Amino acid sequence: MSLAIVYGSSMGNTENAANLICEKLGIEADVLDVANTSADTINGYDKLICGTSTWNNGDMQDDWDSFDFGSLKLSGKTVAVFGVGDSQGYSDEFCDGMAKLFNELKNAGANLVGEISTDGYSFDESEALNNNGNFVGLALDYDNEEEMNEQRVDNWIKIIKPLFS
């Protein structure tokens, strides 16, 4: 089984999150910057964890925003997502970029896993909520709640690790 953690990061926070997830997961994985990664490369992995920050009016990070999602072939592959947002400055679009990434991966056939409760988060609105009112993946905030990120990653790893082992 091969695993890649693919991230798009402008300020370094999403890259830091990708590396922390890799470390905490404790499974051999390639950590890839989507800016230097093609759809063909991503298609070569059995399982994926993908992350983005949120920019502008709830957009994915620029490198994901310009990525060729039409060439992804993820049918039957287990995929989890994580997002980085600002729950205070952009409280009405917290981690919306993660929602857009989730939808693109779903459209490529991915079997998406890793939803988490919104308990303990402070925000007004987010497109990254599913029908159960949970985040579609791990939501992190390096601007206002950085001290909570490691525990949030630990809690998420407990949920997804059995699906990636």
Side-chain angles (χ1 to χ4, degrees):
M1 182 213 57
S2 59
L3 170 63
I5 301 172
V6 187
Y7 67 88
S9 188
S10 296
M11 305 295 288
N13 290 332
T14 312
E15 179 180 8
N16 291 341
N19 287 314
L20 180 61
I21 290 165
C22 185
E23 174 190 328
K24 296 282 188 172
L25 193 58
I27 297 172
E28 185 176 331
D30 294 328
V31 180
L32 307 172
D33 184 342
V34 72
N36 307 315
T37 306
S38 69
D40 283 343
T41 298
I42 291 173
N43 289 337
Y45 287 90
D46 299 316
K47 298 184 180 197
L48 299 163
I49 298 173
C50 298
T52 185
S53 48
T54 298
W55 288 93
N56 302 320
N57 295 323
D59 296 328
M60 289 182 286
Q61 189 269 346
D62 287 345
D63 298 315
W64 276 120
D65 208 35
S66 61
F67 185 76
D68 178 18
F69 285 102
S71 296
L72 281 181
K73 294 173 181 58
L74 303 179
S75 183
K77 295 185 181 190
T78 301
V79 179
V81 295
F82 66 96
V84 175
D86 179 342
S87 64
Q88 291 180 16
Y90 297 93
S91 178
D92 58 339
E93 54 194 40
F94 181 57
C95 287
D96 282 1
M98 176 171 61
K100 290 174 175 62
L101 181 58
F102 176 93
N103 290 329
E104 292 285 0
L105 298 170
K106 183 177 181 182
N107 290 341
N111 173 32
L112 286 139
V113 299
E115 74 175 57
I116 60 163
S117 170
T118 59
D119 292 348
Y121 288 88
S122 294
F123 64 98
D124 291 322
E125 294 180 38
S126 178
E127 292 178 9
L129 302 179
N130 64 19
N131 293 336
N132 298 327
N134 293 327
F135 284 117
V136 296
L138 174 64
L140 299 171
D141 183 345
Y142 279 85
D143 294 320
N144 308 291
E145 300 176 340
E146 185 169 8
E147 73 282 355
M148 301 170 88
N149 287 344
E150 188 167 353
Q151 185 61 53
R152 287 175 173 166
V153 169
D154 287 341
N155 292 341
W156 190 58
I157 294 296
K158 289 177 190 169
I159 294 167
I160 69 165
K161 187 168 183 171
L163 305 169
F164 285 89
S165 296

